[in-house]
Amino acid sequence: MMDDPSQLIDTDDIEVEVTIRIGRTRLTVAELSALRRNEVLTLDQSISDGVEICVGEKVIARGELTGDGAPENRLCIRIIGAAETP
C-alpha cells in the first residue's frame, strides 16, 4: 500500500477545459435574428471587470484580454487575480 496519495495519480497528464466568460446579455429571438454585421451588443460587465476564467461552471480566477504580441496577434488572457469566494 502506498503511503503518499499524491503518487496514485499523475496529475501532469490530466487535462481540464478552461473557458473564458466575458459577459452576458439577453435578447429575444426576434432581436437575435435581426442582428447585422457591425452591430454592438452591450454585456452585463464593465470593461474594468475583466473576464471570468472557468473550469466547468466554476469561476476559478479573473483576467483581462490581451494579445500575445506575435504577428498573428492571438487573443490571450492575463491573470489578474483569484476568484472571490463567497
Side-chain angles (χ1 to χ4, degrees), residues 4-31:
D4 185 2
S6 69
Q7 298 298 317
L8 295 175
I9 300 173
D10 183 6
T11 57
D12 290 344
D13 295 326
I14 297 174
E15 293 184 4
V16 295
E17 183 173 4
V18 176
T19 57
I20 309 302
R21 291 195 302 217
I22 61 171
R24 299 172 190 226
T25 192
R26 281 191 171 265
L27 300 173
T28 66
V29 173
E31 291 169 327

Side-chain angles (χ1 to χ4, degrees), residues 64-70 72-78:
E64 62 186 9
L65 297 174
T66 186
D68 67 359
E72 299 84 26
N73 202 28
R74 294 187 51 123
L75 187 59
C76 300
I77 305 297
R78 178 179 293 113

